Amino acid sequence: MLFRSMKKRFLSVLGCLLCIGGMQAQTLKEIFVHMPDTLSPILTPVNRADCVDFIASNMKARVTNRFNRTSEVKTLTDDYLLAQVTESSVWEMRRLPLNDSVSVVCWVKTVKGPVEDSSLRFYSTDWKELPVSDFLPQRPGPDDFFLQPSAEKADSLNELRRKADITFLKASLSPKENTLSFTYTTPDYMNADDRQQIIPYIRKSVVYEWKDGKFVRKD
């Protein structure tokens, strides 16, 4: 009786471990389809499943979303997703390894209104939200994007920076590499003259690469 009980418990534990292992081995396609509706108020489960099927059939993955508008998954691989969810919003996701069997999902949502600005979240493969600071310890700020001006132009740049009073950052995940790039989009919010003057002082992007389970600045 005791042996039978121990055997039953062992099989139960083994089943749980196999289940967890299978869950961790999911591709981003499977993870995307099984998103909770609370995180996907626009794309229904049927929408998401249809997109995966369309991509697999080499068709355009366009669907009519919950609000009777068109959404399109433009790229979907085992590790990367790019979707035009609405006319003004884009989703990017990338599955990132923590070790040989465990991954996390980085999800970037970019909204243009009219300046592009992104929010960034991390989730387990079963969609439990994780602290961003665990995987991106140091986010870039405006100072990270400005090049050092010559002494005679420092005052001019300081005046331009005072006009850039709101910070907008666009984040982008690489389709092929485990990298995350940030672009300073605040100049798009400024008037044309100020934008033209400030752009020469701004670096194109700040790039982070995935190392040892977190994003670290590349340069």
Side-chain angles (χ1 to χ4, degrees):
M1 188 75 173
L2 178 61
F3 173 76
R4 192 179 305 170
S5 175
M6 290 176 64
K7 181 179 179 182
K8 185 176 180 181
R9 185 177 179 185
F10 170 77
L11 291 174
S12 177
V13 171
L14 179 61
C16 289
L17 290 173
L18 290 173
C19 181
I20 291 171
M23 178 185 70
Q24 297 294 358
Q26 286 180 315
T27 66
L28 188 57
K29 298 173 185 178
E30 297 167 307
I31 296 166
F32 174 61
V33 169
H34 292 101
M35 286 180 70
D37 284 350
T38 52
L39 295 177
S40 181
I42 296 177
L43 294 176
T44 68
V46 173
N47 288 156
R48 300 193 299 273
D50 283 347
C51 286
V52 171
D53 290 341
F54 291 151
I55 293 284
S57 302
N58 295 316
M59 298 169 60
K60 286 191 174 181
R62 290 179 179 168
V63 294
T64 301
N65 61 42
R66 186 173 270 122
F67 299 110
N68 206 33
R69 299 292 181 91
T70 299
S71 299
E72 180 178 358
V73 173
K74 295 179 178 289
T75 306
L76 180 58
T77 68
D78 287 348
D79 297 308
Y80 175 80
L81 173 141
L82 171 64
Q84 185 78 46
V85 181
T86 70
E87 291 181 358
S88 59
S89 64
V90 171
W91 289 359
E92 278 189 294
M93 296 181 191
R94 186 153 190 87
R95 189 181 64 154
L96 298 161
L98 289 182
N99 55 44
D100 290 341
S101 61
V102 179
S103 299
V104 295
V105 176
C106 178
W107 183 6
V108 174
K109 292 193 280 188
T110 300
V111 176
K112 186 172 183 179
V115 179
E116 289 183 297
D117 191 50
S118 300
S119 62
L120 190 146
R121 297 286 185 273
F122 288 88
Y123 293 88
S124 63
T125 53
D126 59 347
W127 291 107
K128 291 182 174 61
E129 188 166 5
L130 305 169
V132 173
S133 58
D134 286 357
F135 307 104
L136 183 64
Q138 187 174 3
R139 300 193 195 203
D143 290 343
D144 294 299
F145 292 91
F146 281 92
L147 304 171
Q148 187 66 35
S150 59
E152 62 270 18
K153 293 185 177 181
D155 289 342
S156 176
L157 177 57
N158 287 336
E159 178 60 30
L160 287 169
R161 291 195 62 173
R162 277 192 286 271
K163 296 179 180 180
D165 54 347
I166 301 177
T167 299
F168 296 103
L169 293 178
K170 177 186 177 182
S172 300
L173 290 161
S174 169
K176 296 182 179 180
E177 300 177 333
N178 292 337
T179 59
L180 174 66
S181 302
F182 289 90
T183 305
Y184 184 65
T185 53
T186 296
D188 295 337
Y189 156 80
M190 303 170 72
N191 66 55
D193 289 340
D194 291 339
R195 180 167 62 249
Q196 187 174 4
Q197 292 180 59
I198 202 171
I199 282 177
Y201 297 104
I202 298 173
R203 67 176 72 243
K204 185 176 180 181
S205 62
V206 174
V207 180
Y208 289 71
E209 58 184 341
W210 187 255
K211 282 187 175 181
D212 300 323
K214 61 184 177 181
F215 279 116
V216 294
R217 187 163 168 174
K218 194 172 182 178
D219 54 349

